[in-house]
Amino acid sequence: MGVGLMMSSEFQLKSLAIEAFRGFRDEARFDLDASAIVLTGPNGTGKTSFFDALQWVLLGRIERLED
């Protein structure tokens, strides 16, 4: 399982790489270096998995999956 990220010294998330994490079997890379990000797609394509990975990287846990 892997989730990687690159940040500047001001803690600006610039990219996110996800592999073997929830809905992501193969590596997927996301460029986040923009003022706005729009994530779209049909059900089952990894939108929630993307946000779970992002929350896991930033907080060390996925709040919606906790008791």
Side-chain angles (χ1 to χ4, degrees):
M1 173 173 71
V3 177
L5 64 129
M6 296 189 63
M7 295 181 287
S8 73
S9 61
E10 297 175 354
F11 194 76
Q12 180 181 10
L13 192 59
K14 300 222 179 223
S15 68
L16 179 67
I18 306 170
E19 180 179 12
F21 182 84
R22 301 187 49 80
F24 292 94
R25 181 176 160 189
D26 299 323
E27 183 179 283
R29 294 186 170 271
F30 299 90
D31 179 13
L32 305 175
D33 192 18
S35 59
I37 307 293
V38 177
L39 192 64
T40 65
N43 290 344
T45 58
K47 296 180 302 295
T48 300
S49 294
F50 169 84
F51 287 108
D52 284 349
L54 186 59
Q55 189 174 72
W56 184 75
V57 165
L58 295 174
L59 301 179
R61 65 187 205 272
I62 302 170
E63 290 180 348
R64 69 178 192 82
L65 299 179
E66 295 178 352
D67 291 330

